[in-house]
Amino acid sequence: MAFITANWNPLGEAFYRKTELYEMSWNLRDGLRDSLVAAAPYGALLREPHRRSPSSRPQLEIYSASGVAIASFPWKSGPVVQLGWTVSDELLCVQEDGSVLIYDLFGSFKRHFSMGQSQVLEAKVFHSPYGTGVAIVTGSSRFTLATNIDELKLRRLPEVPGLQGKPSCWVVLTQDRQTKVLLSNGPELFILDNTSCTAVCPPGLSPQAGNIVHMSVSFSYKYLALFTDTGHLWTGSSHLQEKLSEVDTKKTTTPKQMIWCRRPKSQQPSVVLMWDRLLLDPCVLVGELDGVRIVSSTNQELLQEVPLVCQDIFKIASMAPGALLLEAHREYEKSSQKADEYLREIKEQSMLGEAVRQCVEAAGHEYDTNTQKSLLRAASFGKCFLTDFSPDQFVTTCRELRVLNAVRESSVGLPLTHTQFKQMTLQVLIDRLVYRQFYPLAIEICRYLKIPDYQGVSRVLKHWASYEAIARAVCVKVGDSPGVSYSHIAAKAYECGRTELAIKLLDFEARSGEQVPLLLKMKRSQLALSKAVESGDTDLVYTVVSYLKNEMNRGDFFMTLRNQPVALSLYRQFCKLQEQDTLKDLYNQDDDHQELANYYVMSGSEMIDPTHLRLSLLQSAVDEYNKAKNEFAAKATEDEMRLLRFQRKLDDEKGAGLLGLSLQATIEALLALGLHKQAEQLYRDFKVPDKRYWWLKLKSLAEKEEWEELEKFSKSKKSPIGYLAFVEVCIKCNNKYEAKKYVSKVAPEQKVKAHLAVSDLEGAADAAIERRNESEMAAVLSRCSASDRLLIDRLNRARTTATKK
Amino acid sequence: MAAHLSYGRVNLNILREAARKELREFLDKCSGSKAIVWDEYLTGPFGLIAQYSLLKEHEVEKMFTLKSGRLPSADVKNIIFFVRPRLELMDIIAENVFSEDKLHSSREFHILFVPRRSMLCEQRLKEQGVLGSFINIDEYILDLIPYDGDLLSMEYESAFRECYLENDQTSLYHTAKGLMTLQALYGTIPQIYGKGECARHVANMMLRMKREFAGSQNQILPVFDTLLLLDRNVDLLTPLATQLTYEGLIDEIYGINNGYVKLPPEKFAQKKQGEASKDLPTEPKKLQLNSAEELYAEIRDKNFNAVGAALSKKAKIISAAFEERHNAKTVGEIKQFVSQLPHMQAARSSLANHTSIAELIKDITTSEAFFDNLTVEQEFMTGVDTDKVNTYIEDCIAQKDPLIKILRLVCMQSVCNNGLKQKVFDYYKREILQTYGYEHILTLNNLEKGGLLKPQTSSRNNYPTIRKTLKLWMEDANEQNPNDISYVYSGYAPLSIRLTQVLARPGWRSIEEVLKMLPGPHFEERQQLPAGLHKKRQQGENRTTLVFFLGGVTYAEIAALRFLSQMEDSGMEYIIATTKLINGTTWIKSLMDRPECQTP
């Protein structure tokens, strides 16, 4: 066990350890001397232009964290003051003239922005919840801030009283959702925010400590360290409310770097300081969430506080349950009975669950795979003796370690600790792999961790494809992975001027809603139309149609629609409401005579007056109906025209007010006006069926109480509607007397009804008994009241005989 | 408030709550006091989702109806337009906004499109120069609205007309979207069956949309086992027939709109005794009808002939319950009695209402006209003399009965005869044009396009085969204690429901022949479920089928499905969804051109 603790160093109450991450595979001519270095948090890359060496141009080089060269080119722009990485792994180069150039990981220029037209003395790149920011101090001793370079808003901070040139040291802080600058000028310390500059004093800093010459905030912006020219190191909260410690380092030279070395749930805060020329090989310190990376020209190490759980397990002579379990397992592998003793000891304290948990957790913190394995094996061993222990944590840790080990590989170069991984989330890790073009590894990880396709594999493939942008290769590789956004890929291809390729790619897009706008943009309107139709989204179809309408000449537009019946119908709907005239043209073009005729009818019906206009529209309808071989409609329309002319004539002659009435209503009106001859004429001309005409005349005469005329009419010939109708209509007009006249003429099967209608119960009874119809008898009975004793008896008797037979 | 939605097999309140949540979120987006300007058509459907109180809680202080001209004045910060995406409405909105700007400049405008925003409409607003005036342009996806515990409706009135006459499949797109939303809440439906062109189209879109969202697999245990999509034009007959269930008759006679019915007030007037009934209320009585009312839930689906008995039985139970008070001796008993009083009083007033309604209906169903009409309908359905001109129809035309009644009968005859002989066909048409006016030639044309009215093309009438195979006519339908769905039409078993019934058992393969006679393809699709979501069915646990009627469904059909759900050996429970609740009258009306100029 001793070897694990060999690299531990006690400091105060905690241990610190240094783990080697990589042997750097780079070969730097002059080491890290004389270069500007920027390293991305979460372990990434270095970059260095050799600064203004008089002989040659500076060189910009980008390496992975393991020292693999990614890009290198001579720096041709102006002098660089500061380098930094953004949260999305882009390189920021702040130049002396205030412009900031942005490069991607592969050294290609992306864009630039300016921090204002002034000389930059010093600059800092910082990270906040809003993204990556840049702060500069200008030649006129003013600070300018941009909190998020993706949404650039420059903020000029207030003047600092008495500041000449640059301050002796400064840091950017993010506190209470506000970005501030803390700076020292000689013995004074100021906090600079948007509106004010406040002098502050770190609590408990001895007055004789001297001027502050270096300062550093922790990764979380919670703690602050100050170094004075007398060698005092003060640490405390960044709010400057409390002091943690003050140490006299007995070194009066300003340290080259000062970095907080903490971890979440640290036992004690500590600061790492590095002075130039103290070490043989110049190094760079990189502050991390849970430690400090030390990069030298030959290797890279991680200095961190040993996590408590690892201390518990590996500390010499530790009796923590995890330590015992590890020991038990070791003995077990040696087939020694001591294994049982250790186990027993843990179990007696019922700490086995705790022991397993400790081993699993500790494994996560270990960098060495053998140590990971032995801890996990011990955990797995201990688990066997537990009945209801959730395996989740164990399984997750195993999986995550596999992923971490894979990305820590020197060829990938992401030396993530487990804590950092948790903080950064898997999503971001995959994004970073994708950004570094490790597509296969990213996919493997997605599959291994069973991430839903749309978050994982598909996203990776999308990025990959947009990078390659070659249709066939893309499709073969991307294949049918559900959820791949081909439209994104296609849009990329289009941006690169490869329209044909984009169209081919779009074909693979499942979401038509995504296809259509791009196709329109590429002026493939026909294709856009068929895609819109395919989607079933009618609004989309309308959108394309209205676009086409504006883009094409009318003939082509109609032809296009003709090939798309769905779109055509929708356009017709649109025209019905908005452009009646276009509708006609559409039907005309399609030789749709039936619809054309209907169109004329519709227009005609909106135009009662003047009659000649209506007639001409109806004539057009007749022509079209004929062309459509719809004889009935043509005939009916001709009839209507005939009727209209008739009505017009009569209205003119007699002011009858007939125009627009139906044939039936016209005849009714005529009868009401006593124009019997004209009514008769219509009846014959329009071949009104006898039945209907009889009904009409019957009702009309009854309503006008022309009873004699009615009687005459009833005798004109045999009624096609029978005579019950006469009875009922008379009753309706409250004339029982007249009604009775027709009862005798009623056909036998309706006689009972007729008698009942005129309330002649006797007659009804007679008729019913004569017809020996039981239900009719029942009907009569139901109308009898108690006073009709005799009648009831008679009916009942007849009923019984009827049923007997 | 909407507890009745959660009583059923599937808790539809989840859907309602989801819709309410979205509404609240939108309202909160426009902070400060608000006035809503309504597209009038939407108020009914919205009533099923949220009452005024919800809007009030979110600072809605005024409501107006959308109309052209100037907006009424209101001292509010936000003006929100709730509209369907229709161009003509955009023009009105533009007018509103223009006339408004000059007066108050501080008001903020918002648009909420229901059920979907539309690029076309936004384009129109842009052309009118008002698009920039809107702070928020949003959509409120309201496709399927929970209508009752087992019923969803899109309240999309023109769906049938758009699909079959105008070849406009907007409603089907919304249907597919609605079904996707439903699946997001209730799990992927593993099996999809369908019959008809529209059904096919909807299923295709659903599968397509699923592919579009692929990767984001739904991890909800499926509530529905099967989805059945049915085109209304597969069964044109059923809606034409007069519904004979209690609810069906209320709809036929008075019309149920968004769950509400308006009744003539006279019957409901003599509430207070002793008062002279001089001033009769003139406002129609408005009642909400749904399963939240216990008595209504009990009788709504009964054949009307069985309603009387049910009501008198209920009356006895209620008066017996009131009699209980005489038996209540101890304080405890009295307390218990009193605690039940509100419930009993509600039951009593519900009983009084329904007795009145039943009386109103009875006056009509016992009339000769009703009887004659029904007789003819039943003759057609049983295939009697469907190839000749029917005298009753002739008489009705001569008497100038309402046109819609005539059209219902003529269409029914046509459907039952698989088209009318050319002579008969022309005769009816001429009669209608001469009597009701030439302009109805367009309506007739529409009915032809929709397939409701057509000339016979082949000499073979296949309706009798369909009737016999599917047992559409049951001679001895038991109205009191039904044993078959045919009770809902006193003999006629709705074709659509028979198809549903056969699908459950023994399966459509047994009626392959008949299916081929009905229009449109029939099909089956399966949707893959993620592993682990396959239901482990308990012994005797029923399966759940969602039956979606594209183009409308009648209350009688719903009653028949509820009857099937309750049958002990069916092993299937049904949830019903539709584009709109219809009856023959509203259906035909939706197919008429300019129905307003129809003579009353």
Side-chain angles (χ1 to χ4, degrees), chain A residues 454-482:
Chain A
Y454 70 103
Q455 290 179 334
V457 175
S458 303
R459 235 157 39 107
V460 177
L461 285 175
K462 182 184 97 186
H463 284 287
W464 168 77
S466 29
Y467 169 66
E468 303 271 301
I470 294 164
R472 247 144 306 191
V474 172
C475 306
V476 171
K477 298 215 173 173
V478 180
D480 253 353
S481 298

Side-chain angles (χ1 to χ4, degrees), chain A residues 482 510 512 537-539 569 573 578 594-595 598 637 640 662-664 686-687 689 691-692 695 753, chain B residues 87 118-119 124 166-167 170 173 208 212 214-215 368 391 394 399 429-431 434-435 438 445 449:
Chain A
S512 328
D537 183 346
T538 43
D539 184 52
S569 330
Q573 286 287 91
Q578 305 280 333
Q594 173 74 25
E595 284 301 333
N598 289 345
T637 313
E640 170 71 1
S662 73
L663 178 64
Q664 179 91 347
F686 286 90
K687 298 201 180 74
K691 275 189 183 172
R692 184 146 55 79
W695 267 111
K753 246 186 178 172
Chain B
L87 288 177
S118 134
M119 293 191 244
R124 172 59 70 98
E166 284 149 1
N167 195 21
T170 307
Y173 180 69
R208 188 188 171 90
E212 292 184 3
E368 206 165 319
T391 15
E394 241 181 332
Q399 311 270 10
K429 287 205 290 186
R430 227 166 73 89
E431 284 290 279
Q434 287 196 348
T435 309
Y438 166 78
N445 184 48
K449 259 198 221 166

Side-chain angles (χ1 to χ4, degrees), chain B residues 29-48:
Chain B
K29 231 189 250 177
C30 325
S31 59
S33 57
K34 324 170 182 29
I36 296 180
V37 184
W38 286 97
D39 172 354
E40 206 168 9
Y41 182 88
L42 290 175
T43 49
F46 258 83
L48 293 165

Side-chain angles (χ1 to χ4, degrees), chain A residues 506-566:
Chain A
L506 266 186
D507 242 5
F508 292 91
E509 172 63 60
R511 281 162 292 186
S512 328
E514 306 275 314
Q515 295 171 320
V516 174
L518 187 58
L519 283 170
L520 284 182
K521 208 161 116 194
M522 298 192 293
K523 307 242 178 277
R524 303 294 153 131
S525 35
Q526 307 255 358
L527 199 55
L529 184 59
S530 57
K531 291 290 174 197
V533 168
E534 240 174 68
S535 76
D537 183 346
T538 43
D539 184 52
L540 207 53
V541 179
Y542 273 130
T543 309
V544 181
V545 168
S546 64
Y547 177 87
L548 290 179
K549 200 176 134 201
N550 295 333
E551 289 288 299
M552 293 177 151
N553 68 47
R554 208 165 157 96
D556 291 349
F557 175 56
F558 281 5
M559 275 318 283
T560 308
L561 287 184
R562 216 174 158 171
N563 298 326
Q564 288 289 354
V566 174

Side-chain angles (χ1 to χ4, degrees), chain A residues 366-413:
Chain A
E366 288 303 319
Y367 213 83
D368 175 55
T369 47
N370 288 321
T371 318
Q372 291 168 2
K373 276 184 204 159
S374 60
L375 284 164
L376 288 172
R377 284 208 189 100
S380 158
F381 171 69
K383 233 156 48 73
C384 300
F385 302 96
L386 288 166
T387 44
D388 52 352
F389 186 80
S390 159
D392 287 353
Q393 193 205 2
F394 181 75
V395 174
T396 322
T397 307
C398 287
R399 286 211 179 118
E400 287 171 352
L401 277 176
R402 256 194 99 175
V403 171
L404 285 177
N405 290 338
V407 301
R408 284 168 186 167
E409 275 292 309
S410 175
S411 56
V412 181

